[in-house]
């Protein structure tokens, strides 16, 4: 996720080299994987099943309990993920919490049950919430053209900020080509690029080198650059750094004290599980030490992520009208539908169907070796987050298998069904 760096930190001799990121799929949601790999899965019709332990049917009890969550985290770990932590939060009783695997390869130290991890593109939901709060306050509208707030910035090669609205940016319907900041596809590239950093306007300028993928509103295409532009819009509207608005409007009011931007720290705070990338070469590399671009740089915990989605969908952060706007969705593209079957995208929120009927809301993220899936019911009364400290980037099949196994965990936890009964 890097190109012409503005700052470089020399690696220490003890720092392991890092592996390729998960690819164009997870690159688009905060991670990386060559788009050709995705196309290969689409054309081949690869079917990847999320396997459960053989005894899931025999030991399940009525309702979804701690043993079920433990079996589901074990199932994810058995795919080759080094560490998994998951939390289910409901309106009554204590959270269900489970962890599986180790915090570091070669050590017996268990995965922290509420350890820190990079939330990557889950941070887009924070940014979208602040934008919609500003709409509630009358400071801007969803139909404002980007050019009103950032005159002349989105221009060139057919890009035109006079035709792209705030709504387009939030919903990934702007047509702006996703940023082309180089990621890493080999351990050597990880070593070379892990400390590269970019200013927001550098990221936008790189995107402006490309023609739009489609006319504004005429398609759907995930664009990290669109959310970089939203950060800049927030700053122009409020006169304050966008991340301070996130802190003062969302994190502090909800008591999300464990969600923060790491600044110049290349690792999360302790406790955390080390992050690993499995490359197409088969090499597994510790990729914990690196910098990520905003808004994907946020570090969080399963407790805080569940608290956020529960409060958002429970109506604590937005007016009913704005929350309804946020939940007004459009279909995703064919490539993304492989990851999110029948998924739809709202304004910084993803709607996915539940196997028990209805749907849930989420925004997953993956980058820097951490992959996080989450979800909450429509009223925010039940939320789940699963964080994995490995990205299985050795093949499209394994990447998709990891995604689907974690999605199955989220589905069962939200449906309240034991492992083996649903999914």
């Amino acid at each position: 996720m890097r190109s012409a760096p503005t700052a470089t930190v020399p690696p220490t001799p003890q720092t392991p080299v890092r592996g390729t990121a998960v690819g164009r799929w997870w690159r688009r949601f905060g991670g990386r994987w060559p788009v050709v790999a995705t196309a290969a899965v689409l054309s081949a019709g690869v079917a990847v099943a999320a396997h459960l332990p053989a005894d899931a049917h025999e030991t399940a009890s009525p309702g979804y309990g701690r043993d079920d969550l433990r079996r589901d985290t074990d199932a994810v770990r058995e795919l080759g993920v080094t560490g998994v932590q998951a939390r289910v939060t409901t309106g009554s009783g204590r959270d269900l919490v489970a962890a599986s695997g180790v915090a570091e390869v070669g050590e017996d130290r268990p995965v922290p049950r509420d350890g820190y991890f990079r939330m990557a593109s889950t941070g887009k939901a924070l940014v979208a919430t602040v934008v919609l709060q500003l709409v509630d306050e009358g400071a801007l509208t969803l139909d404002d053209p980007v050019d009103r707030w950032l005159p002349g910035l989105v221009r060139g090669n057919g890009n035109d900020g006079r035709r792209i609205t705030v709504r387009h940016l939030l919903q990934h319907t702007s047509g702006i080509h996703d940023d082309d900041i180089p990621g890493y596809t080999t351990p050597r590239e990880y070593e070379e690029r892990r400390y590269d950093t970019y200013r927001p306007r550098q990221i936008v300028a790189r995107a402006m080198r490309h023609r739009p993928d489609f006319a504004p509103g005429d398609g759907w295409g995930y664009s990290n650059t669109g959310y970089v532009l939203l950060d800049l819009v927030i700053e122009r509207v409020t006169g304050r750094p966008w991340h301070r608005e996130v802190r003062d409007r969302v994190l502090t009011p909800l008591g999300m004290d464990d969600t923060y931007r790491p600044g110049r720290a290349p690792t999360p705070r302790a406790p955390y599980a080390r992050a690993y990338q499995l490359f197409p070469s088969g090499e597994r590399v510790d990729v914990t030490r690196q910098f990520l671009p905003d808004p994907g740089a946020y570090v969080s915990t399963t407790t805080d992520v569940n608290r956020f989605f529960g409060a958002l969908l429970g109506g604590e952060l937005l007016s009913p009208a704005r929350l309804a706007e946020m939940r007004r969705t459009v279909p995703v593209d064919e490539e993304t539908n492989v990851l999110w079957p029948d998924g739809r995208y709202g304004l910084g929120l993803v709607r996915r169907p539940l196997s028990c009927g209805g749907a849930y809301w989420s925004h997953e993220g993956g980058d820097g070796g951490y992959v996080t899936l989450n979800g909450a019911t429509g009223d925010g009364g039940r939320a789940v987050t699963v964080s994995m400290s490995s990205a299985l980037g050795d093949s499209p099949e394994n990447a998709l298998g990891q995604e689907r196994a974690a999605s199955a965990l989220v589905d069962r936890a939200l449906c309240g069904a034991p492992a083996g009964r649903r999914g």
Side-chain angles (χ1 to χ4, degrees):
M1 232 182 201
R2 334 279 183 233
S3 129
T6 59
T8 300
V9 176
T12 63
Q14 294 78 23
T15 302
V17 273
R18 120 183 165 191
T20 164
V22 174
R24 183 62 178 168
W25 282 339
W26 285 336
R27 169 73 176 85
R28 291 172 45 169
F29 310 114
R32 316 158 177 86
W33 186 295
V35 69
V36 292
T38 308
V41 172
L42 284 168
S43 61
V46 174
V48 182
H51 297 290
L52 290 172
D55 63 352
H57 290 273
E58 300 170 10
T59 59
S61 58
Y64 189 90
R66 184 166 285 105
D67 289 344
D68 298 293
L69 184 61
R70 186 175 298 111
R71 277 191 291 271
D72 282 350
T73 56
D74 286 344
V76 175
R77 191 249 313 151
E78 287 168 4
L79 297 176
V81 176
T82 56
V84 186
Q85 56 169 313
R87 178 178 299 269
V88 181
T89 302
T90 64
S92 59
R94 298 174 60 184
D95 289 357
L96 301 179
V97 184
S100 185
V102 295
E104 184 173 358
V105 171
E107 302 288 339
D108 293 331
R109 184 165 52 91
V111 175
R113 289 160 59 87
D114 200 23
Y116 289 97
F117 55 86
R118 297 184 180 105
M119 67 193 301
S121 280
T122 299
K124 287 181 172 65
L126 300 175
V127 171
T129 299
V130 170
V131 171
L132 289 166
Q133 287 180 343
L134 293 171
V135 173
D136 261 335
E137 295 163 11
L140 78 163
T141 75
L142 290 173
D143 295 322
D144 283 351
V146 174
D147 220 53
R148 174 180 176 184
W149 299 106
L150 305 171
L153 184 60
V154 178
R155 204 64 58 86
N157 292 314
N159 296 286
D160 189 347
R162 295 168 297 186
R163 300 179 58 206
I164 297 170
T165 66
V166 171
R167 187 192 305 274
H168 289 144
L169 297 180
L170 287 166
Q171 201 152 41
H172 297 300
T173 56
S174 68
I176 293 175
H177 188 79
D178 201 11
D179 66 67
D180 63 348
I181 298 173
Y184 47 87
T185 57
T186 67
R188 181 175 178 177
E189 287 179 353
Y190 163 74
E191 174 93 352
E192 293 171 345
R193 299 171 179 173
R194 57 179 165 167
Y195 295 126
D196 290 356
T197 61
Y198 302 86
R199 293 185 296 270
R201 288 175 183 265
Q202 284 181 300
I203 295 174
V204 175
R206 293 185 68 94
M208 294 302 104
R209 298 176 184 177
H210 302 272
R211 292 194 60 80
D213 293 337
F214 49 82
D218 284 355
W220 190 92
Y222 198 93
S223 175
N224 289 303
T225 304
Y227 272 74
V228 172
L229 286 164
L230 288 168
D231 293 345
L232 295 172
V233 168
I234 291 171
E235 293 186 345
R236 181 60 64 92
V237 172
T238 65
R240 304 177 69 224
W242 68 270
H243 52 87
R244 291 187 183 173
E245 293 294 327
V246 170
R247 180 195 65 191
D248 294 347
R249 292 169 172 271
V250 180
L251 306 183
T252 298
L254 294 182
M256 294 173 61
D257 300 329
D258 290 323
T259 301
Y260 69 96
R261 294 172 70 244
R264 302 297 297 168
T267 67
R269 296 172 185 162
Y272 63 88
R274 299 197 70 84
Y276 295 89
Q277 180 74 37
L278 192 61
F279 287 93
S281 64
E283 296 169 274
R284 180 176 61 193
V285 178
D286 185 331
V287 298
T288 309
R289 295 180 65 89
Q290 61 176 286
F291 296 143
L292 300 184
D294 286 320
Y298 274 105
V299 171
S300 192
T301 64
T302 57
T303 297
D304 272 11
V305 174
N306 281 359
R307 182 175 296 139
F308 167 68
F309 281 110
L312 174 64
L313 293 161
E316 296 180 36
L317 295 172
L318 297 173
S319 70
R322 294 292 79 73
L323 186 56
E325 289 268 21
M326 196 178 205
R327 292 163 53 138
R328 188 168 297 148
T329 62
V330 297
V332 298
D333 60 15
E334 181 183 9
E335 181 182 329
T336 306
N337 194 65
V338 174
L339 282 181
W340 305 334
D342 298 318
R344 298 175 64 88
Y345 203 93
L347 303 185
L349 274 184
V350 179
R351 184 186 189 275
R352 297 186 62 180
L354 284 167
S355 63
C356 53
Y360 69 94
W361 299 90
S362 70
H363 205 302
E364 69 182 63
D367 206 353
Y370 294 99
V371 181
T372 302
L373 272 67
N374 47 60
T377 53
D379 62 357
R382 191 174 182 91
V384 58
T385 296
V386 53
S387 173
M388 298 163 280
S389 51
S390 293
L392 302 184
D394 55 329
S395 73
E397 294 86 356
N398 286 343
L400 186 56
Q402 180 178 358
E403 170 80 18
R404 290 189 172 173
S407 294
L409 183 156
V410 171
D411 179 87
R412 283 189 288 271
L414 293 179
C415 283
R421 287 196 182 180
R422 297 197 186 276

